[in-house]
Amino acid sequence: MRKLPEGVDGMIYKGPSAYNQEDFLANYLKRRKRVESPNNAIEKPILMELIQTASGQDVLDLGCGDAVYGLELLDIGAKSYTGIEGSAQMAELAKTTTAGTGIQIINESLEAYQFGSGKYDLVTSRFVIHYLQDIEGLFAKVYTALKEKGRFIFSIQHPLTTSSFKSKEQSGRREDWIVDDYFIEGERNEPWIDKTVRKYHWTTEHYITALLAAGFQLKALREGKPERSRFATEEEYIRRTRVPIMLIFSCEK
């Protein structure tokens, strides 16, 4: 595995720690609010299609961010929403965002937090699990936390793009992606928003094997194929058809 240089501040940020940096958080939120961001134009529509309904359901969100997603799940009928967020700064933002709604925000790492047993109808997570080293342990906890026939629906950065970040040495808007070291799993250090962030690269096979070993049935696997109607320009749409940047799993207990 090739090691990339450290960030401009000489640090490698692990897990949610980068989001405790005010400059990083501000730039991240600015990116997320773009209509054509992959989160808004590709990921969220697929997630909501897979979820279909949350009516009367108790929901646990792993790495809830600002918890706007929680408000959207309440809007489609969720009975309750609990968000776990490891960044203290992001958790405070989530509490502000959801004040007065009955949403519960817990500032704790996913590794340390105990999810409980048979409590949730739906466990969800958006672009968080690739920050975790022990996905087998996480999947086992999620399985235990779900009620019978409960669902686990989550997105990750596509393993084709976490295998190597050599493409990020290029300047400008990337039209392709270098795939390298794919079967060499483990730590990856990604230059992102003027920081270097620790992630973990696992193959698609590894994710599926870990889910099956935990007891889940895999109901759907989506790679984030974009839809033309969600992009203002043909140029951006075509750019997004070139490289798969996410995997979205739908599983059932």
Side-chain angles (χ1 to χ4, degrees):
M1 180 183 68
R2 297 178 178 87
K3 293 289 186 180
L4 289 168
E6 294 183 354
V8 294
D9 57 4
M11 294 185 63
I12 296 175
Y13 291 89
K14 300 177 183 179
S17 62
Y19 297 90
N20 286 330
Q21 310 303 309
E22 290 188 8
D23 57 337
F24 183 93
L25 180 60
N27 286 326
Y28 167 78
L29 292 172
K30 183 178 179 180
R31 289 182 176 211
R32 279 294 301 268
K33 290 176 181 178
R34 290 185 295 115
V35 174
E36 290 192 349
S37 77
N39 307 79
N40 295 324
I42 303 175
E43 181 222 18
K44 189 169 75 171
I46 294 174
L47 276 176
M48 300 308 279
E49 176 189 333
L50 292 172
I51 290 172
Q52 293 187 356
T53 180
S55 182
Q57 297 184 5
D58 296 306
V59 180
L60 176 67
D61 188 6
L62 309 181
C64 67
D66 61 8
V68 169
Y69 182 42
L71 297 175
E72 294 169 347
L73 292 176
L74 289 185
D75 284 343
I76 62 170
K79 177 183 175 183
S80 71
Y81 172 92
T82 302
I84 312 301
E85 175 54 52
S87 162
Q89 186 164 262
M90 187 71 91
E92 285 304 311
L93 177 60
K95 290 175 183 178
T96 300
T97 301
T98 61
T101 64
I103 279 177
Q104 183 180 19
I105 303 297
I106 299 171
N107 179 206
E108 180 64 273
S109 72
L110 297 182
E111 295 90 343
Y113 186 70
Q114 298 303 310
F115 302 166
S117 178
K119 295 177 61 177
Y120 301 101
D121 301 284
L122 171 65
V123 176
T124 188
S125 183
R126 300 181 64 181
F127 286 117
V128 170
I129 292 174
H130 48 248
Y131 288 104
L132 303 181
Q133 184 173 17
D134 181 14
I135 59 171
E136 287 82 3
L138 178 76
F139 293 166
K141 289 204 302 182
V142 171
Y143 189 87
T144 299
L146 282 167
K147 302 174 185 178
E148 196 66 29
K149 297 296 183 180
R151 298 178 296 159
F152 182 28
I153 300 176
F154 66 96
S155 64
I156 58 166
Q157 194 169 333
H158 201 295
L160 290 183
T161 65
T162 58
S163 66
S164 171
F165 292 116
K166 193 171 183 179
S167 294
K168 290 207 164 184
E169 296 174 6
Q170 306 169 9
S171 59
R173 291 165 67 83
R174 288 176 296 280
E175 300 292 336
D176 53 22
W177 194 271
I178 297 169
V179 178
D180 198 6
D181 295 333
Y182 182 79
F183 290 107
I184 303 174
E185 298 183 290
E187 294 179 3
R188 297 293 194 273
N189 298 323
E190 179 184 7
W192 187 37
I193 316 182
D194 297 326
K195 307 290 183 191
T196 299
V197 179
R198 173 70 45 81
K199 295 182 178 179
Y200 290 89
H201 167 69
W202 312 115
T203 64
T204 301
E205 179 181 339
H206 188 148
Y207 278 106
I208 293 174
T209 300
L211 287 165
L212 296 177
F216 284 105
Q217 296 180 15
L218 181 62
K219 295 296 187 179
L221 178 64
R222 303 283 291 274
E223 291 187 285
K225 182 179 179 181
E227 294 185 9
R228 175 64 183 89
S229 62
R230 300 190 182 279
F231 294 88
T233 67
E234 185 75 9
E235 178 185 14
E236 182 63 9
Y237 166 68
I238 290 174
R239 188 172 82 92
R240 290 301 182 186
T241 64
R242 298 176 67 102
V243 178
I245 58 176
M246 65 189 69
L247 276 182
I248 303 174
F249 296 81
S250 179
C251 310
E252 185 179 286
K253 179 173 179 176

